[in-house]
PDB file of all heavy atoms in Angstrom:
ATOM      1  N   ARG A   1     -18.949  93.663  21.282  1.00 96.00           N
ATOM      2  CA  ARG A   1     -18.733  92.579  20.380  1.00 96.00           C
ATOM      3  C   ARG A   1     -17.744  93.042  19.313  1.00 96.00           C
ATOM      4  O   ARG A   1     -17.884  94.147  18.806  1.00 96.00           O
ATOM      5  CB  ARG A   1     -19.930  92.123  19.726  1.00 96.00           C
ATOM      6  CG  ARG A   1     -19.825  91.044  18.568  1.00 96.00           C
ATOM      7  CD  ARG A   1     -21.085  90.609  18.057  1.00 96.00           C
ATOM      8  NE  ARG A   1     -22.096  91.773  17.750  1.00 96.00           N
ATOM      9  CZ  ARG A   1     -22.178  92.380  16.701  1.00 96.00           C
ATOM     10  NH1 ARG A   1     -21.228  92.219  15.745  1.00 96.00           N
ATOM     11  NH2 ARG A   1     -22.952  93.430  16.582  1.00 96.00           N
ATOM     12  N   THR A   2     -16.692  92.212  19.122  1.00 96.00           N
ATOM     13  CA  THR A   2     -15.732  92.650  18.013  1.00 96.00           C
ATOM     14  C   THR A   2     -16.332  92.316  16.682  1.00 96.00           C
ATOM     15  O   THR A   2     -17.073  91.328  16.530  1.00 96.00           O
ATOM     16  CB  THR A   2     -14.361  91.890  18.125  1.00 96.00           C
ATOM     17  OG1 THR A   2     -14.529  90.422  17.986  1.00 96.00           O
ATOM     18  CG2 THR A   2     -13.771  91.986  19.590  1.00 96.00           C
ATOM     19  N   ASP A   3     -16.061  93.111  15.688  1.00 93.00           N
ATOM     20  CA  ASP A   3     -16.642  93.018  14.347  1.00 93.00           C
ATOM     21  C   ASP A   3     -15.856  93.717  13.339  1.00 93.00           C
ATOM     22  O   ASP A   3     -14.871  94.404  13.617  1.00 93.00           O
ATOM     23  CB  ASP A   3     -18.094  93.573  14.331  1.00 93.00           C
ATOM     24  CG  ASP A   3     -18.977  92.860  13.292  1.00 93.00           C
ATOM     25  OD1 ASP A   3     -18.337  92.124  12.399  1.00 93.00           O
ATOM     26  OD2 ASP A   3     -20.154  92.975  13.342  1.00 93.00           O
ATOM     27  N   ILE A   4     -16.122  93.548  12.044  1.00 89.00           N
ATOM     28  CA  ILE A   4     -15.570  94.317  10.973  1.00 89.00           C
ATOM     29  C   ILE A   4     -16.717  95.130  10.242  1.00 89.00           C
ATOM     30  O   ILE A   4     -17.681  94.618   9.890  1.00 89.00           O
ATOM     31  CB  ILE A   4     -14.919  93.408   9.864  1.00 89.00           C
ATOM     32  CG1 ILE A   4     -13.732  92.617  10.480  1.00 89.00           C
ATOM     33  CG2 ILE A   4     -14.380  94.256   8.707  1.00 89.00           C
ATOM     34  CD1 ILE A   4     -13.088  91.646   9.539  1.00 89.00           C
ATOM     35  N   ALA A   5     -16.551  96.497  10.273  1.00 80.00           N
ATOM     36  CA  ALA A   5     -17.456  97.379   9.673  1.00 80.00           C
ATOM     37  C   ALA A   5     -16.797  98.453   8.662  1.00 80.00           C
ATOM     38  O   ALA A   5     -15.929  99.069   9.175  1.00 80.00           O
ATOM     39  CB  ALA A   5     -18.321  98.037  10.750  1.00 80.00           C
ATOM     40  N   ASP A   6     -17.307  98.498   7.545  1.00 71.00           N
ATOM     41  CA  ASP A   6     -16.827  99.468   6.567  1.00 71.00           C
ATOM     42  C   ASP A   6     -15.361  99.254   6.358  1.00 71.00           C
ATOM     43  O   ASP A   6     -14.499 100.201   6.314  1.00 71.00           O
ATOM     44  CB  ASP A   6     -17.131 100.875   6.945  1.00 71.00           C
ATOM     45  CG  ASP A   6     -18.604 101.162   6.879  1.00 71.00           C
ATOM     46  OD1 ASP A   6     -19.310 100.563   6.164  1.00 71.00           O
ATOM     47  OD2 ASP A   6     -19.120 101.963   7.736  1.00 71.00           O
ATOM     48  N   GLY A   7     -14.745  97.992   6.452  1.00 72.00           N
ATOM     49  CA  GLY A   7     -13.378  97.694   6.213  1.00 72.00           C
ATOM     50  C   GLY A   7     -12.617  97.935   7.380  1.00 72.00           C
ATOM     51  O   GLY A   7     -11.295  97.906   7.318  1.00 72.00           O
ATOM     52  N   LYS A   8     -13.167  98.310   8.665  1.00 81.00           N
ATOM     53  CA  LYS A   8     -12.339  98.581   9.800  1.00 81.00           C
ATOM     54  C   LYS A   8     -12.634  97.601  10.937  1.00 81.00           C
ATOM     55  O   LYS A   8     -13.839  96.923  10.942  1.00 81.00           O
ATOM     56  CB  LYS A   8     -12.644  99.900  10.376  1.00 81.00           C
ATOM     57  CG  LYS A   8     -12.154 101.044   9.380  1.00 81.00           C
ATOM     58  CD  LYS A   8     -12.453 102.420  10.036  1.00 81.00           C
ATOM     59  CE  LYS A   8     -11.938 103.578   9.242  1.00 81.00           C
ATOM     60  NZ  LYS A   8     -12.158 104.825   9.776  1.00 81.00           N
ATOM     61  N   LEU A   9     -11.782  97.249  11.713  1.00 90.00           N
ATOM     62  CA  LEU A   9     -11.936  96.453  12.954  1.00 90.00           C
ATOM     63  C   LEU A   9     -12.572  97.353  13.930  1.00 90.00           C
ATOM     64  O   LEU A   9     -12.118  98.528  14.162  1.00 90.00           O
ATOM     65  CB  LEU A   9     -10.589  95.866  13.495  1.00 90.00           C
ATOM     66  CG  LEU A   9      -9.887  94.835  12.675  1.00 90.00           C
ATOM     67  CD1 LEU A   9      -8.609  94.418  13.199  1.00 90.00           C
ATOM     68  CD2 LEU A   9     -10.764  93.616  12.428  1.00 90.00           C
ATOM     69  N   VAL A  10     -13.659  96.948  14.688  1.00 91.00           N
ATOM     70  CA  VAL A  10     -14.426  97.840  15.588  1.00 91.00           C
ATOM     71  C   VAL A  10     -15.018  96.974  16.745  1.00 91.00           C
ATOM     72  O   VAL A  10     -14.953  95.716  16.790  1.00 91.00           O
ATOM     73  CB  VAL A  10     -15.582  98.395  14.789  1.00 91.00           C
ATOM     74  CG1 VAL A  10     -15.131  99.390  13.764  1.00 91.00           C
ATOM     75  CG2 VAL A  10     -16.625  97.421  14.343  1.00 91.00           C
ATOM     76  N   TYR A  11     -15.365  97.727  17.744  1.00 95.00           N
ATOM     77  CA  TYR A  11     -16.157  97.180  18.827  1.00 95.00           C
ATOM     78  C   TYR A  11     -17.521  97.685  18.496  1.00 95.00           C
ATOM     79  O   TYR A  11     -17.866  98.797  18.158  1.00 95.00           O
ATOM     80  CB  TYR A  11     -15.799  97.674  20.101  1.00 95.00           C
ATOM     81  CG  TYR A  11     -14.345  97.355  20.649  1.00 95.00           C
ATOM     82  CD1 TYR A  11     -13.425  98.288  20.780  1.00 95.00           C
ATOM     83  CD2 TYR A  11     -14.087  96.055  20.997  1.00 95.00           C
ATOM     84  CE1 TYR A  11     -12.122  97.991  21.110  1.00 95.00           C
ATOM     85  CE2 TYR A  11     -12.784  95.688  21.475  1.00 95.00           C
ATOM     86  CZ  TYR A  11     -11.853  96.597  21.562  1.00 95.00           C
ATOM     87  OH  TYR A  11     -10.482  96.363  21.890  1.00 95.00           O
ATOM     88  N   VAL A  12     -18.604  96.738  18.736  1.00 94.00           N
ATOM     89  CA  VAL A  12     -19.948  97.148  18.573  1.00 94.00           C
ATOM     90  C   VAL A  12     -20.711  96.955  19.898  1.00 94.00           C
ATOM     91  O   VAL A  12     -20.645  95.758  20.497  1.00 94.00           O
ATOM     92  CB  VAL A  12     -20.656  96.284  17.522  1.00 94.00           C
ATOM     93  CG1 VAL A  12     -22.190  96.645  17.353  1.00 94.00           C
ATOM     94  CG2 VAL A  12     -19.929  96.563  16.118  1.00 94.00           C
ATOM     95  N   SER A  13     -21.397  97.867  20.418  1.00 94.00           N
ATOM     96  CA  SER A  13     -22.119  97.732  21.608  1.00 94.00           C
ATOM     97  C   SER A  13     -23.348  96.786  21.422  1.00 94.00           C
ATOM     98  O   SER A  13     -24.042  96.892  20.533  1.00 94.00           O
ATOM     99  CB  SER A  13     -22.693  99.172  22.145  1.00 94.00           C
ATOM    100  OG  SER A  13     -23.515  99.012  23.317  1.00 94.00           O
ATOM    101  N   GLU A  14     -23.576  96.071  22.593  1.00 93.00           N
ATOM    102  CA  GLU A  14     -24.786  95.172  22.593  1.00 93.00           C
ATOM    103  C   GLU A  14     -25.524  95.423  23.921  1.00 93.00           C
ATOM    104  O   GLU A  14     -26.360  94.513  24.323  1.00 93.00           O
ATOM    105  CB  GLU A  14     -24.367  93.673  22.606  1.00 93.00           C
ATOM    106  CG  GLU A  14     -23.643  93.299  21.239  1.00 93.00           C
ATOM    107  CD  GLU A  14     -23.552  91.764  21.047  1.00 93.00           C
ATOM    108  OE1 GLU A  14     -23.525  90.961  21.997  1.00 93.00           O
ATOM    109  OE2 GLU A  14     -23.615  91.431  19.849  1.00 93.00           O
ATOM    110  N   SER A  15     -25.367  96.734  24.495  1.00 85.00           N
ATOM    111  CA  SER A  15     -25.961  97.004  25.749  1.00 85.00           C
ATOM    112  C   SER A  15     -26.769  98.326  25.628  1.00 85.00           C
ATOM    113  O   SER A  15     -26.315  99.219  25.084  1.00 85.00           O
ATOM    114  CB  SER A  15     -24.872  97.130  26.785  1.00 85.00           C
ATOM    115  OG  SER A  15     -24.285  95.880  26.964  1.00 85.00           O
ATOM    116  N   GLY A  16     -27.869  98.319  26.238  1.00 83.00           N
ATOM    117  CA  GLY A  16     -28.616  99.583  26.502  1.00 83.00           C
ATOM    118  C   GLY A  16     -28.774 100.598  25.489  1.00 83.00           C
ATOM    119  O   GLY A  16     -28.998 100.217  24.268  1.00 83.00           O
ATOM    120  N   ALA A  17     -28.623 101.841  25.861  1.00 84.00           N
ATOM    121  CA  ALA A  17     -28.886 102.953  25.008  1.00 84.00           C
ATOM    122  C   ALA A  17     -27.850 103.016  23.799  1.00 84.00           C
ATOM    123  O   ALA A  17     -28.146 103.595  22.760  1.00 84.00           O
ATOM    124  CB  ALA A  17     -28.832 104.322  25.728  1.00 84.00           C
ATOM    125  N   THR A  18     -26.745 102.379  23.982  1.00 88.00           N
ATOM    126  CA  THR A  18     -25.734 102.485  22.906  1.00 88.00           C
ATOM    127  C   THR A  18     -25.753 101.255  22.084  1.00 88.00           C
ATOM    128  O   THR A  18     -24.903 101.112  21.125  1.00 88.00           O
ATOM    129  CB  THR A  18     -24.285 102.541  23.501  1.00 88.00           C
ATOM    130  OG1 THR A  18     -23.975 101.369  24.302  1.00 88.00           O
ATOM    131  CG2 THR A  18     -24.025 103.814  24.399  1.00 88.00           C
ATOM    132  N   ARG A  19     -26.719 100.380  22.250  1.00 90.00           N
ATOM    133  CA  ARG A  19     -26.740  99.086  21.526  1.00 90.00           C
ATOM    134  C   ARG A  19     -26.634  99.393  19.919  1.00 90.00           C
ATOM    135  O   ARG A  19     -27.360 100.294  19.425  1.00 90.00           O
ATOM    136  CB  ARG A  19     -28.089  98.385  21.727  1.00 90.00           C
ATOM    137  CG  ARG A  19     -28.270  97.066  20.900  1.00 90.00           C
ATOM    138  CD  ARG A  19     -29.615  96.493  21.157  1.00 90.00           C
ATOM    139  NE  ARG A  19     -29.675  95.955  22.541  1.00 90.00           N
ATOM    140  CZ  ARG A  19     -29.297  94.738  22.939  1.00 90.00           C
ATOM    141  NH1 ARG A  19     -28.736  93.911  21.995  1.00 90.00           N
ATOM    142  NH2 ARG A  19     -29.382  94.382  24.172  1.00 90.00           N
ATOM    143  N   GLY A  20     -25.822  98.693  19.251  1.00 89.00           N
ATOM    144  CA  GLY A  20     -25.602  98.916  17.792  1.00 89.00           C
ATOM    145  C   GLY A  20     -24.632  99.932  17.434  1.00 89.00           C
ATOM    146  O   GLY A  20     -24.175 100.029  16.268  1.00 89.00           O
ATOM    147  N   GLN A  21     -24.195 100.809  18.451  1.00 90.00           N
ATOM    148  CA  GLN A  21     -23.196 101.785  18.116  1.00 90.00           C
ATOM    149  C   GLN A  21     -21.738 101.143  17.882  1.00 90.00           C
ATOM    150  O   GLN A  21     -21.390 100.305  18.647  1.00 90.00           O
ATOM    151  CB  GLN A  21     -23.213 102.863  19.198  1.00 90.00           C
ATOM    152  CG  GLN A  21     -24.447 103.688  19.175  1.00 90.00           C
ATOM    153  CD  GLN A  21     -24.349 104.802  20.200  1.00 90.00           C
ATOM    154  OE1 GLN A  21     -23.256 105.123  20.765  1.00 90.00           O
ATOM    155  NE2 GLN A  21     -25.496 105.356  20.607  1.00 90.00           N
ATOM    156  N   VAL A  22     -21.068 101.681  17.000  1.00 89.00           N
ATOM    157  CA  VAL A  22     -19.628 101.343  16.759  1.00 89.00           C
ATOM    158  C   VAL A  22     -18.688 102.086  17.632  1.00 89.00           C
ATOM    159  O   VAL A  22     -18.811 103.474  17.705  1.00 89.00           O
ATOM    160  CB  VAL A  22     -19.182 101.530  15.278  1.00 89.00           C
ATOM    161  CG1 VAL A  22     -17.709 101.273  15.077  1.00 89.00           C
ATOM    162  CG2 VAL A  22     -20.075 100.573  14.432  1.00 89.00           C
ATOM    163  N   ASN A  23     -17.809 101.483  18.368  1.00 91.00           N
ATOM    164  CA  ASN A  23     -16.939 102.099  19.264  1.00 91.00           C
ATOM    165  C   ASN A  23     -17.560 103.098  20.150  1.00 91.00           C
ATOM    166  O   ASN A  23     -17.221 104.339  20.042  1.00 91.00           O
ATOM    167  CB  ASN A  23     -15.799 102.741  18.487  1.00 91.00           C
ATOM    168  CG  ASN A  23     -14.854 101.668  17.764  1.00 91.00           C
ATOM    169  OD1 ASN A  23     -14.717 100.583  18.154  1.00 91.00           O
ATOM    170  ND2 ASN A  23     -14.311 102.203  16.714  1.00 91.00           N
ATOM    171  N   PRO A  24     -18.635 102.707  20.899  1.00 92.00           N
ATOM    172  CA  PRO A  24     -19.457 103.679  21.688  1.00 92.00           C
ATOM    173  C   PRO A  24     -18.681 104.459  22.669  1.00 92.00           C
ATOM    174  O   PRO A  24     -17.634 103.882  23.270  1.00 92.00           O
ATOM    175  CB  PRO A  24     -20.455 102.844  22.216  1.00 92.00           C
ATOM    176  CG  PRO A  24     -19.780 101.391  22.442  1.00 92.00           C
ATOM    177  CD  PRO A  24     -18.918 101.330  21.275  1.00 92.00           C
ATOM    178  N   ASN A  25     -19.043 105.704  22.975  1.00 91.00           N
ATOM    179  CA  ASN A  25     -18.650 106.321  24.141  1.00 91.00           C
ATOM    180  C   ASN A  25     -19.277 105.770  25.422  1.00 91.00           C
ATOM    181  O   ASN A  25     -20.402 105.611  25.399  1.00 91.00           O
ATOM    182  CB  ASN A  25     -19.045 107.845  24.118  1.00 91.00           C
ATOM    183  CG  ASN A  25     -18.309 108.635  22.999  1.00 91.00           C
ATOM    184  OD1 ASN A  25     -17.340 108.253  22.577  1.00 91.00           O
ATOM    185  ND2 ASN A  25     -18.823 109.789  22.781  1.00 91.00           N
ATOM    186  N   ILE A  26     -18.416 105.318  26.252  1.00 94.00           N
ATOM    187  CA  ILE A  26     -18.876 104.730  27.530  1.00 94.00           C
ATOM    188  C   ILE A  26     -18.806 105.848  28.585  1.00 94.00           C
ATOM    189  O   ILE A  26     -17.743 106.263  29.021  1.00 94.00           O
ATOM    190  CB  ILE A  26     -17.997 103.407  27.882  1.00 94.00           C
ATOM    191  CG1 ILE A  26     -18.038 102.444  26.755  1.00 94.00           C
ATOM    192  CG2 ILE A  26     -18.485 102.859  29.282  1.00 94.00           C
ATOM    193  CD1 ILE A  26     -17.102 101.221  27.031  1.00 94.00           C
ATOM    194  N   LYS A  27     -20.084 106.189  29.048  1.00 92.00           N
ATOM    195  CA  LYS A  27     -20.035 107.275  29.950  1.00 92.00           C
ATOM    196  C   LYS A  27     -20.403 106.690  31.335  1.00 92.00           C
ATOM    197  O   LYS A  27     -21.423 105.997  31.499  1.00 92.00           O
ATOM    198  CB  LYS A  27     -21.156 108.396  29.540  1.00 92.00           C
ATOM    199  CG  LYS A  27     -20.859 108.937  28.224  1.00 92.00           C
ATOM    200  CD  LYS A  27     -21.885 110.068  27.841  1.00 92.00           C
ATOM    201  CE  LYS A  27     -21.492 110.628  26.528  1.00 92.00           C
ATOM    202  NZ  LYS A  27     -22.524 111.694  26.144  1.00 92.00           N
ATOM    203  N   VAL A  28     -19.645 107.104  32.366  1.00 93.00           N
ATOM    204  CA  VAL A  28     -19.770 106.510  33.660  1.00 93.00           C
ATOM    205  C   VAL A  28     -19.540 107.714  34.701  1.00 93.00           C
ATOM    206  O   VAL A  28     -18.805 108.624  34.441  1.00 93.00           O
ATOM    207  CB  VAL A  28     -18.844 105.286  34.034  1.00 93.00           C
ATOM    208  CG1 VAL A  28     -19.022 104.182  32.960  1.00 93.00           C
ATOM    209  CG2 VAL A  28     -17.402 105.788  34.034  1.00 93.00           C
ATOM    210  N   PRO A  29     -20.047 107.489  35.918  1.00 94.00           N
ATOM    211  CA  PRO A  29     -19.861 108.511  36.930  1.00 94.00           C
ATOM    212  C   PRO A  29     -18.369 108.288  37.541  1.00 94.00           C
ATOM    213  O   PRO A  29     -17.969 107.085  37.556  1.00 94.00           O
ATOM    214  CB  PRO A  29     -20.904 108.252  38.068  1.00 94.00           C
ATOM    215  CG  PRO A  29     -21.928 107.236  37.407  1.00 94.00           C
ATOM    216  CD  PRO A  29     -21.147 106.530  36.309  1.00 94.00           C
ATOM    217  N   GLU A  30     -17.848 109.337  38.006  1.00 92.00           N
ATOM    218  CA  GLU A  30     -16.534 109.255  38.648  1.00 92.00           C
ATOM    219  C   GLU A  30     -16.695 108.352  39.956  1.00 92.00           C
ATOM    220  O   GLU A  30     -17.671 108.526  40.710  1.00 92.00           O
ATOM    221  CB  GLU A  30     -15.871 110.554  39.064  1.00 92.00           C
ATOM    222  CG  GLU A  30     -14.645 110.471  39.653  1.00 92.00           C
ATOM    223  CD  GLU A  30     -13.990 111.869  39.871  1.00 92.00           C
ATOM    224  OE1 GLU A  30     -14.650 112.856  39.653  1.00 92.00           O
ATOM    225  OE2 GLU A  30     -12.785 112.006  40.392  1.00 92.00           O
ATOM    226  N   GLY A  31     -15.881 107.366  40.156  1.00 91.00           N
ATOM    227  CA  GLY A  31     -15.868 106.438  41.317  1.00 91.00           C
ATOM    228  C   GLY A  31     -16.594 105.204  41.046  1.00 91.00           C
ATOM    229  O   GLY A  31     -16.701 104.186  41.774  1.00 91.00           O
ATOM    230  N   ALA A  32     -17.380 105.117  39.819  1.00 93.00           N
ATOM    231  CA  ALA A  32     -18.165 103.910  39.549  1.00 93.00           C
ATOM    232  C   ALA A  32     -17.302 102.700  39.298  1.00 93.00           C
ATOM    233  O   ALA A  32     -16.237 102.785  38.756  1.00 93.00           O
ATOM    234  CB  ALA A  32     -19.079 104.210  38.280  1.00 93.00           C
ATOM    235  N   VAL A  33     -17.838 101.554  39.732  1.00 94.00           N
ATOM    236  CA  VAL A  33     -17.172 100.197  39.309  1.00 94.00           C
ATOM    237  C   VAL A  33     -17.754  99.821  37.957  1.00 94.00           C
ATOM    238  O   VAL A  33     -18.909  99.766  37.742  1.00 94.00           O
ATOM    239  CB  VAL A  33     -17.437  99.114  40.284  1.00 94.00           C
ATOM    240  CG1 VAL A  33     -16.906  97.834  39.844  1.00 94.00           C
ATOM    241  CG2 VAL A  33     -16.915  99.590  41.665  1.00 94.00           C
ATOM    242  N   VAL A  34     -16.899  99.685  36.960  1.00 95.00           N
ATOM    243  CA  VAL A  34     -17.234  99.510  35.538  1.00 95.00           C
ATOM    244  C   VAL A  34     -16.811  98.073  35.195  1.00 95.00           C
ATOM    245  O   VAL A  34     -15.728  97.573  35.468  1.00 95.00           O
ATOM    246  CB  VAL A  34     -16.553 100.423  34.634  1.00 95.00           C
ATOM    247  CG1 VAL A  34     -16.910 100.309  33.148  1.00 95.00           C
ATOM    248  CG2 VAL A  34     -16.797 101.995  35.123  1.00 95.00           C
ATOM    249  N   GLN A  35     -17.793  97.371  34.471  1.00 95.00           N
ATOM    250  CA  GLN A  35     -17.491  95.997  33.945  1.00 95.00           C
ATOM    251  C   GLN A  35     -17.694  96.126  32.409  1.00 95.00           C
ATOM    252  O   GLN A  35     -18.748  96.524  31.932  1.00 95.00           O
ATOM    253  CB  GLN A  35     -18.302  94.931  34.556  1.00 95.00           C
ATOM    254  CG  GLN A  35     -18.042  93.610  33.883  1.00 95.00           C
ATOM    255  CD  GLN A  35     -18.543  92.426  34.628  1.00 95.00           C
ATOM    256  OE1 GLN A  35     -18.395  92.407  35.851  1.00 95.00           O
ATOM    257  NE2 GLN A  35     -19.160  91.473  34.098  1.00 95.00           N
ATOM    258  N   ILE A  36     -16.651  95.738  31.665  1.00 96.00           N
ATOM    259  CA  ILE A  36     -16.844  95.629  30.205  1.00 96.00           C
ATOM    260  C   ILE A  36     -16.650  94.203  29.779  1.00 96.00           C
ATOM    261  O   ILE A  36     -15.571  93.597  30.035  1.00 96.00           O
ATOM    262  CB  ILE A  36     -15.735  96.481  29.502  1.00 96.00           C
ATOM    263  CG1 ILE A  36     -15.797  98.000  29.916  1.00 96.00           C
ATOM    264  CG2 ILE A  36     -15.903  96.449  27.992  1.00 96.00           C
ATOM    265  CD1 ILE A  36     -14.687  98.805  29.324  1.00 96.00           C
ATOM    266  N   ASN A  37     -17.718  93.648  29.239  1.00 96.00           N
ATOM    267  CA  ASN A  37     -17.636  92.306  28.718  1.00 96.00           C
ATOM    268  C   ASN A  37     -17.282  92.256  27.292  1.00 96.00           C
ATOM    269  O   ASN A  37     -17.835  93.150  26.503  1.00 96.00           O
ATOM    270  CB  ASN A  37     -19.136  91.717  28.826  1.00 96.00           C
ATOM    271  CG  ASN A  37     -19.613  91.679  30.305  1.00 96.00           C
ATOM    272  OD1 ASN A  37     -18.892  91.454  31.207  1.00 96.00           O
ATOM    273  ND2 ASN A  37     -20.820  91.936  30.439  1.00 96.00           N
ATOM    274  N   LEU A  38     -16.458  91.508  26.832  1.00 96.00           N
ATOM    275  CA  LEU A  38     -15.917  91.461  25.503  1.00 96.00           C
ATOM    276  C   LEU A  38     -16.275  90.096  24.774  1.00 96.00           C
ATOM    277  O   LEU A  38     -15.839  89.035  25.287  1.00 96.00           O
ATOM    278  CB  LEU A  38     -14.375  91.723  25.374  1.00 96.00           C
ATOM    279  CG  LEU A  38     -13.764  91.767  23.963  1.00 96.00           C
ATOM    280  CD1 LEU A  38     -14.385  92.902  23.171  1.00 96.00           C
ATOM    281  CD2 LEU A  38     -12.333  91.748  24.074  1.00 96.00           C
ATOM    282  N   VAL A  39     -17.023  90.121  23.683  1.00 96.00           N
ATOM    283  CA  VAL A  39     -17.471  88.930  23.064  1.00 96.00           C
ATOM    284  C   VAL A  39     -16.792  89.000  21.692  1.00 96.00           C
ATOM    285  O   VAL A  39     -16.847  89.961  20.901  1.00 96.00           O
ATOM    286  CB  VAL A  39     -19.011  88.686  22.868  1.00 96.00           C
ATOM    287  CG1 VAL A  39     -19.325  87.457  22.137  1.00 96.00           C
ATOM    288  CG2 VAL A  39     -19.526  88.766  24.263  1.00 96.00           C
ATOM    289  N   ASN A  40     -16.141  87.899  21.232  1.00 96.00           N
ATOM    290  CA  ASN A  40     -15.491  87.826  19.949  1.00 96.00           C
ATOM    291  C   ASN A  40     -16.529  87.547  18.846  1.00 96.00           C
ATOM    292  O   ASN A  40     -17.113  86.504  18.835  1.00 96.00           O
ATOM    293  CB  ASN A  40     -14.326  86.774  19.934  1.00 96.00           C
ATOM    294  CG  ASN A  40     -13.489  86.804  18.715  1.00 96.00           C
ATOM    295  OD1 ASN A  40     -13.875  86.940  17.588  1.00 96.00           O
ATOM    296  ND2 ASN A  40     -12.111  86.655  18.927  1.00 96.00           N
TER     297      ASN A  40
END
């Protein structure tokens, strides 16, 4: 989800173990099919 935090434009995770993290590290296996949903 896009947001403003501490005066900066950021992405905020709304999924799984990274929920609530700002600009989270997205860790995936090599060869994985990855889907990133973006909500304004």
Side-chain angles (χ1 to χ4, degrees):
R1 169 177 48 83
T2 69
D3 205 346
I4 298 176
D6 296 326
K8 294 183 178 181
L9 294 174
V10 296
Y11 297 110
V12 179
S13 172
E14 296 196 330
S15 300
T18 62
R19 179 182 292 274
Q21 291 183 16
V22 170
N23 297 332
N25 288 342
I26 301 175
K27 299 181 179 181
V28 303
E30 185 175 3
V33 175
V34 181
Q35 176 163 318
I36 303 176
N37 305 319
L38 181 66
V39 180
N40 191 315

